[in-house]
Amino acid sequence: QVHFLESGGDLVQAGGSLRLSCAASGFSFENHAMGWFRQAPGKERQVISCIAWRDDAPDYEDDKYYVDTVKGRFTISRDNAKNALYLQMNSLKPEDTATYYCAAVAYSNRVSCGEPTLAVWGQGTLVTVSS
């Protein structure tokens, strides 16, 4: 059974940092691209960052996607040995306030990120950024 458990959300002041984690289970994590999504109150869930399946070249950027609003502030990474996905968030802004989710996606490259593939969502983790 596919399962995602997100953690690391908190209340933080603008300009602060947080590191989100996602523990994945029930599928071959190392063979799937992964993504972070967020949903702000009253808005639709949107993708913010994705990463391809490999974890042996952390500085290789061509297989990572970032939406323009988080470029230069957020960094996605993964550890296939731990079935874990991470999102380092720096210089947080009030508009980053949302519930954050992880999901398997069809693909990831510098230009775009594929759709979620496993039709499963976790509970998410809430990030609140105060001004």
Side-chain angles (χ1 to χ4, degrees):
Q1 184 177 1
V2 176
H3 186 64
F4 299 108
L5 180 62
E6 301 90 350
S7 62
D10 205 346
L11 171 64
V12 63
Q13 288 189 332
S17 297
L18 285 173
R19 187 187 193 218
L20 304 185
S21 298
C22 167
S25 61
F27 67 104
S28 55
F29 179 82
E30 67 276 12
N31 292 329
H32 283 74
M34 294 292 298
W36 282 101
F37 297 72
R38 69 184 180 189
Q39 185 168 20
K43 296 187 177 181
E44 292 187 354
R45 184 156 41 200
Q46 63 168 173
V47 63
I48 57 169
S49 182
C50 295
I51 186 170
W53 61 272
R54 64 185 303 177
D55 70 347
D56 59 347
D59 296 329
Y60 183 68
E61 295 298 321
D62 283 357
D63 61 357
K64 297 175 185 173
Y65 169 80
Y66 297 96
V67 70
D68 286 347
T69 51
V70 307
K71 278 182 182 177
R73 300 189 298 123
F74 291 9
T75 302
I76 191 170
S77 62
R78 65 190 294 163
D79 185 336
N80 289 346
K82 296 181 179 179
N83 281 10
L85 179 71
Y86 305 103
L87 186 69
Q88 177 66 42
M89 306 189 297
N90 298 329
S91 303
L92 282 161
K93 304 176 181 180
E95 50 264 44
D96 294 319
T97 294
T99 299
Y100 285 69
Y101 303 87
C102 62
V105 295
Y107 66 88
S108 175
N109 57 50
R110 184 185 288 270
V111 176
S112 65
C113 173
E115 294 293 317
T117 57
L118 298 179
V120 172
W121 295 97
Q123 294 296 310
T125 187
L126 178 62
V127 173
T128 304
V129 185
S130 63
S131 57

